[in-house]
Amino acid sequence: MPRMLLLATCLLGAFAAHAAADPATLRVPPGFRVEVFSADVPNAREMAIGSRGTVFVGSNDAGKVYALTDADHDGRAERVRVIAGGLQLPVGVAFRDGDLYVSAVSRILRLRAIEDHLDDPPAPEVVTDRLPRDTHHGWRYLAFGPDGKLYVPIGAPCNVCDRAGYAKLMRMDADGTHWQDVAYGIRNTVGFTWQPGSGRLWFTDNGRDWMGDDLPADELNRVDHPGAHYGFPYCHQGDTPDPEFGKGHACEDYVPPAHKFGAHVAALGLAFYTGTQFPARWRDTLFVAEHGSWNRTVKSGYRVVAVHVDAQGRVRGEETFLDGFLDRGRTRGRPADVKVAPDGALLVSDDYGGAIYRISYGAVR
């Protein structure tokens, strides 16, 4: 199949409406259970949790931002409200001081005091409209760091290219001022978070396409100091020069990944487990959503993995935590983000099934 037709087929499949996966077909370690928190969140992508427990969810092509509420705390959202619509790729959502921040390619928007106005949401205010307008890798994950800054990625506007001002992670004040670059050489990160205790910044990065089924690996990276370069487009996975842009560049000159995922798994959202509901061995584990491959002969990803990281920032291993989204090559779901709920459960968004799943541990309610 020609590359562009294959890409179009993949994208159309991702945007079509599908049912949420049956929790009975999903696999988690013994003692855990999976439930559907909501099956009414079309194209669900990044999540953010408000101070009152509201689960905010961005979307991609749906162009909407959702607010999910579980008033009786039974682990299922009774209401799903659309609090913003008609937006361009509003994947990213971040909550701070009562306000919800939403990415929309070149713009970042803010919905003031949103939990006071779920039934009558305010018109979004423009925080900034100066980000690049490219839609290729133009959907932006958002997160506030421990420094109070809003972190925003600027992905490469291509599969692989060398363009000034792109392929980086930056930060700004909550009012859209005082931009600073944080890290370079990042093809496209759709997930970053900070490690409890150390405060280290960790991010996923999706490797380039069309170097074969098994190259290059998607990456998990750690930021030890601002301004570091992680290799793109010159070097991939820390040890593989790019066939076009790698000439004259040594991989040793760039920061290698802290951990390599599989090739094409599309590692997206991630979160350290900060709750107390899960057994002790899962505390401070880094959970990562693998959205799944679209151009690999045998599909890979389509799961949530647990990456075990020690207090010094060293990765000690990886294991599958949630899978079952592939059935003999047939797609049942595509995890996009993970968040720790206030009660210690783990929430997983699925843009394919338009659902949020809730993973909990212990006796059935």
Side-chain angles (χ1 to χ4, degrees), residues 14 46 136 150 176 188 199 201 204 218 221 232 264 277 323 331:
E46 187 183 357
H136 194 128
L150 180 61
N188 185 39
L201 171 60
T204 56
D218 278 7
N221 291 288
F232 181 86
H264 307 295
Q277 183 186 122
D323 69 352
T331 301

Side-chain angles (χ1 to χ4, degrees), residues 117-338:
H117 302 284
L118 295 179
D119 291 319
D120 58 337
E125 301 175 0
V126 176
V127 174
T128 184
D129 59 1
R130 297 190 294 117
L131 294 163
R133 297 179 179 275
D134 312 80
T135 56
H136 194 128
H137 296 156
W139 50 89
R140 308 190 195 283
Y141 193 92
L142 297 179
F144 279 95
D147 55 7
K149 302 280 188 177
L150 180 61
Y151 284 67
V152 183
I154 299 180
C158 55
N159 174 35
V160 57
C161 57
D162 193 358
R163 292 272 303 275
Y166 292 85
K168 65 182 182 179
L169 178 64
M170 58 165 289
R171 63 188 175 191
M172 63 180 70
D173 288 348
D175 63 359
T177 62
H178 301 109
W179 292 23
Q180 296 174 299
D181 290 343
V182 175
Y184 304 99
I186 303 168
R187 180 176 177 268
N188 185 39
T189 178
V190 194
F192 38 90
T193 192
W194 288 262
Q195 186 175 6
S198 70
R200 292 185 185 93
L201 171 60
W202 293 75
F203 66 90
T204 56
D205 192 13
N206 290 181
R208 63 156 291 178
D209 297 314
W210 311 121
M211 283 183 66
D213 275 359
D214 301 315
L215 283 174
D218 278 7
E219 299 176 6
L220 175 64
N221 291 288
R222 185 187 66 237
V223 178
D224 292 325
H225 57 85
H229 196 294
Y230 291 81
F232 181 86
Y234 316 116
C235 177
H236 309 291
Q237 66 174 38
D239 56 14
T240 303
D242 185 81
E244 180 179 358
F245 294 96
K247 186 177 181 179
H249 297 273
C251 285
E252 294 77 14
D253 292 339
Y254 306 105
V255 179
H259 178 66
K260 297 178 186 178
F261 299 109
H264 307 295
V265 300
L268 302 185
L270 72 172
F272 281 97
Y273 185 74
T274 54
T276 58
Q277 183 186 122
F278 290 8
R281 74 174 294 258
W282 301 100
R283 307 283 166 79
D284 296 334
T285 293
L286 183 59
F287 290 103
V288 184
E290 293 186 350
H291 194 230
S293 60
W294 63 268
N295 64 340
R296 194 170 186 272
T297 304
V298 177
K299 290 180 179 180
S300 59
Y302 299 87
R303 61 180 184 167
V304 173
V305 298
V307 179
H308 301 289
V309 181
D310 66 21
Q312 288 71 47
R314 295 170 296 203
V315 174
R316 296 303 191 184
E318 174 193 317
E319 61 183 300
T320 300
F321 184 74
L322 169 67
D323 69 352
F325 290 110
L326 279 179
D327 178 18
R328 291 169 290 184
R330 182 172 63 87
T331 301
R332 286 177 168 167
R334 304 191 73 185
D337 194 23
V338 292

Side-chain angles (χ1 to χ4, degrees), residues 5-31:
L5 180 57
L6 178 62
L7 175 58
T9 301
C10 167
L11 293 178
L12 286 172
F15 296 164
H18 301 92
D22 180 354
T25 67
L26 302 178
R27 297 181 292 274
V28 287

